[in-house]
Amino acid sequence: MKVLFPKVTIIMATYNREIYIVETLKSIINQSFTNWECLIIDDGGTDNTVAVISPLLEEDKRFQYLKRPEKYKKGLPGTRNYGLDLAKGDYVIFFDDDDIVHPLNLELCVLELSRNDVSFCRYIRNVFYDDFDYQFDMSKEYDTFFIGINDVERLLNQDLPFNSCAVLWKKECFTNNRYVEHLLHAEEWELYSRILSTGIKGISIEKSLFFARKHSNSMTGQYYRLDPIRTSSNVDAILLVLKNLQEKGLFSHSLIRYFVTISYGFKEYDLFNKFINLLQLTFFEKIKWQVFYATFPLRLSAYRIKKAIKTFNK
């Protein structure tokens, strides 16, 4: 009797990564789980990516090189949406074009999805700088825990990070969910919180199965250099998250407190007032949060002073 294994679709957006992409693709070839397809989708790059990956495309037909059609907006969200529309796998995962994948990544994630009634498998992502020099831990012993709708808050406040390349999903999770294509930052934060808020369940592997390369041209690097376009996109993502939480009735006191706090960092976008108006609070509740917002700098300064004293006394 022939055993049928599920198929995994790997969606890899690429843009001018001729320096790193071959190393990334070789880490995919080295996967212990072999029933995968990898859609390499070019977002309009102008370097020699096609030339450097051509030998791998010829040797391994599981790789497909495509170009993003114009009907999908330029950028990571549009490119990934195109991949989702082409995906033939039972499961979907997003890999970046400059990172390294642990050899057991797909095997362990597929195993957890096959033996548990869950819709996604999350795992730990490590970060490295420039060149990759790491001895893989090939042990298959690890702890796990389940994730559900009650963990939406932990996802949003980064207590339980959902990195874009650190979750294997059942494809059905994207049946009614896609990336918002105009977002240039926090697009996966918005999408993944929206998916989790539908009530699906997942499992998390307490093991490092993905290694993200950090360099000056990374998306996060551009954001932290205070790119105003990406900052504005971050605000748009926050507003979309807030709207989804409101529609699903998922706001808790601690979540309101969290978003009021971070809104202080976007004063020029009037994020606080947009948030408060969305909540449709009573007059007294609105006053309470306005006072909390207004006194935030004082409480932040007191916290920093206490932290400095504690550090000094060590």
Side-chain angles (χ1 to χ4, degrees):
M1 179 178 175
K2 185 177 180 180
V3 179
L4 297 178
F5 291 100
K7 186 173 186 176
V8 175
T9 295
I10 301 166
I11 298 173
M12 179 183 294
T14 188
Y15 182 79
N16 289 347
R17 281 288 189 266
E18 63 174 304
I19 298 176
Y20 302 117
I21 192 170
V22 171
E23 186 178 16
T24 301
L25 296 183
K26 286 183 177 180
S27 74
I28 294 174
I29 292 174
N30 290 334
Q31 289 298 295
S32 57
F33 180 88
T34 59
N35 193 22
W36 51 263
E37 63 171 354
C38 181
L39 308 179
I40 307 166
I41 304 174
D42 200 314
D43 192 29
T46 57
D47 68 354
N48 294 316
T49 292
V50 179
V52 299
I53 69 172
S54 287
L56 294 179
L57 296 177
E58 287 296 320
E59 294 170 12
D60 197 326
K61 298 305 180 182
R62 292 174 296 179
F63 289 116
Q64 298 180 53
Y65 174 80
L66 309 119
K67 293 186 178 182
R68 172 190 50 77
E70 288 300 318
K71 73 173 186 175
Y72 297 88
K73 190 174 178 65
K74 181 175 177 58
L76 194 61
T79 304
R80 286 179 172 173
N81 281 345
Y82 176 46
L84 285 170
D85 288 341
L86 296 176
K88 297 178 181 178
D90 306 282
Y91 304 140
V92 171
I93 196 164
F94 305 99
F95 287 158
D96 285 341
D97 57 358
D98 55 355
D99 299 333
I100 302 296
V101 189
H102 190 292
L104 296 177
N105 183 298
L106 298 182
E107 177 186 343
L108 297 183
C109 290
V110 169
L111 176 63
E112 294 299 333
L113 284 172
S114 64
R115 67 185 181 187
N116 293 287
D117 184 21
V118 293
S119 297
F120 63 86
C121 181
R122 172 194 175 272
Y123 49 84
I124 296 174
R125 182 195 73 155
N126 282 351
V127 171
F128 70 97
Y129 293 86
D130 300 323
D131 297 325
F132 183 74
D133 183 17
Y134 187 89
Q135 296 298 317
F136 294 118
D137 173 12
M138 299 300 290
S139 168
K140 296 183 182 181
E141 299 293 325
Y142 49 82
D143 293 326
T144 63
F145 61 88
F146 290 102
I147 301 171
I149 194 169
N150 292 332
D151 295 299
V152 170
E153 180 171 349
R154 297 181 64 209
L155 183 160
L156 290 171
N157 66 19
Q158 300 297 321
D159 182 45
L160 184 66
F162 269 56
N163 301 112
S164 60
C165 299
V167 189
L168 178 69
W169 303 88
K170 285 186 176 179
K171 187 169 68 173
E172 62 197 43
C173 292
F174 298 96
T175 301
N176 298 311
N177 294 290
R178 285 292 192 272
Y179 286 93
V180 177
E181 296 194 8
H182 77 268
L183 295 181
L184 298 177
H185 185 75
E187 67 282 347
E188 73 277 356
W189 179 76
E190 186 278 329
L191 174 60
Y192 294 177
S193 66
R194 180 162 25 105
I195 294 175
L196 187 56
S197 72
T198 63
I200 66 168
K201 296 179 181 179
I203 194 167
S204 183
I205 293 176
E206 291 295 276
K207 182 178 178 66
S208 297
L209 293 176
F210 196 83
F211 303 86
R213 190 191 308 266
K214 293 295 182 182
H215 48 82
S216 59
N217 291 325
S218 67
M219 289 296 188
T220 51
Q222 292 184 47
Y223 174 70
Y224 284 114
R225 286 196 295 270
L226 300 181
D227 183 328
I229 296 177
R230 298 191 185 281
T231 303
S232 177
S233 181
N234 198 25
V235 172
D236 289 344
I238 292 172
L239 291 172
L240 287 170
V241 167
L242 296 176
K243 181 180 178 182
N244 179 61
L245 292 172
Q246 178 73 358
E247 290 175 350
K248 291 188 170 66
L250 293 177
F251 271 118
S252 62
H253 181 274
S254 55
L255 258 180
I256 295 175
R257 181 187 177 100
Y258 172 72
F259 280 108
V260 168
T261 299
I262 65 172
S263 68
Y264 195 84
F266 300 96
K267 294 178 69 174
E268 66 272 34
Y269 295 91
D270 197 29
L271 182 58
F272 171 76
N273 286 318
K274 291 176 181 177
F275 175 34
I276 293 301
N277 291 333
L278 175 70
L279 289 177
Q280 299 178 342
L281 299 173
T282 66
F283 174 78
F284 291 106
E285 287 176 324
K286 185 177 293 188
I287 293 296
K288 180 186 71 174
W289 287 115
Q290 287 174 339
V291 172
F292 179 88
Y293 179 79
T295 59
F296 177 72
L298 296 175
R299 286 180 286 104
L300 180 61
S301 297
Y303 168 77
R304 287 174 174 169
I305 291 171
K306 289 180 181 179
K307 186 176 180 180
I309 293 173
K310 184 177 181 180
T311 303
F312 180 78
N313 289 333
K314 283 184 177 180

